[in-house]
Amino acid sequence: MTSIDTPTDLADLSFNGSDGEALTLGSFSGKMVLVNLWATWCVPCRTEMPALDALQADLGSDGFEVVTINIDQGEDSKPKAFLEEIGVSNLAFYRDNTMGVFNVLKKQGHAVGLPATLLVDGNGCLVSRMFGPAHWSGEDAKTYIRKALGSDAQA
C-alpha cells in the first residue's frame, strides 16, 4: 500500500448495493473501508477474492469493512455466480456495471488497472492505495489494517 500525502475525498464515489440501491463511500461514514475494484475477467482479481473474504471474516466489524466492487458490464448474474462458486460468504455484494467508479479513480490517478485497492477512512478520504493483487488474509495485511484502525490487537 502506498500512503497518500494529501487525503482525497472519495465520499461521493457511487456504486450499487446487493439489492441495486445506490450507495456512496459516504454511506460507510464512521467506518474504515478497504475498497477493492474487481472483475470476473481479471485473473488476479479472481485469485485474491478468497483472501479478501477471509480478511472480512477476520477483521470485519462496526469500524472496518472490506468493500469489493465488481465492475463487470452486463447483469449481476455472472459475478454473483463466481462468488458463489468460490464460496465467498463474508463479503457483501457491491457493483458498478457502468465502470464509473473505475473511470473516476483512473482520472484521479488512483487506479491504473485491476485489481485496484484503496483504504478509505471513516470520513470518506483516501489514505492509501495499491495497484495489483495482494495476499489480504496474510499477517502483514492484517497488521497494516489493525495499525490503520489504531489498534495492534490480534483479531
Side-chain angles (χ1 to χ4, degrees), residues 27-47:
S27 303
F28 298 88
S29 181
K31 181 183 285 196
M32 180 167 282
V33 294
L34 185 75
V35 178
N36 176 271
L37 302 184
W38 70 282
T40 58
W41 45 262
C42 167
V43 173
C45 300
R46 294 172 68 98
T47 303

Side-chain angles (χ1 to χ4, degrees), residues 99-122:
M99 290 185 60
V101 169
F102 178 76
N103 290 328
V104 166
L105 293 172
K106 186 175 178 183
K107 282 182 186 175
Q108 295 177 348
H110 301 308
V112 294
L114 293 179
T117 307
L118 314 168
L119 188 62
V120 178
D121 70 14

Side-chain angles (χ1 to χ4, degrees), residues 1-108:
M1 295 289 280
T2 303
S3 295
I4 305 300
D5 292 332
T6 305
T8 303
D9 184 359
L10 296 177
D12 292 335
L13 200 65
S14 62
F15 50 95
N16 293 323
S18 60
D19 60 1
E21 80 275 17
L23 297 172
T24 65
L25 285 182
S27 303
F28 298 88
S29 181
K31 181 183 285 196
M32 180 167 282
V33 294
L34 185 75
V35 178
N36 176 271
L37 302 184
W38 70 282
T40 58
W41 45 262
C42 167
V43 173
C45 300
R46 294 172 68 98
T47 303
E48 77 177 354
M49 198 57 60
L52 289 161
D53 189 55
L55 179 63
Q56 175 63 27
D58 291 344
L59 297 183
S61 67
D62 290 340
F64 175 73
E65 183 174 343
V66 177
V67 175
T68 57
I69 304 172
N70 174 266
I71 64 166
D72 283 23
Q73 295 181 321
E75 297 180 14
D76 292 354
S77 57
K78 185 175 182 179
K80 282 184 174 182
F82 167 71
L83 294 173
E84 185 176 322
E85 174 186 316
I86 64 167
V88 166
S89 59
N90 300 297
L91 298 172
F93 184 71
Y94 300 108
R95 182 122 154 81
D96 176 19
N97 68 350
T98 69
M99 290 185 60
V101 169
F102 178 76
N103 290 328
V104 166
L105 293 172
K106 186 175 178 183
K107 282 182 186 175
Q108 295 177 348

Side-chain angles (χ1 to χ4, degrees), residues 115-137:
T117 307
L118 314 168
L119 188 62
V120 178
D121 70 14
N123 297 314
C125 290
L126 175 65
V127 293
S128 60
R129 68 180 179 221
M130 181 168 192
F131 305 137
H135 184 62
W136 294 109
S137 60

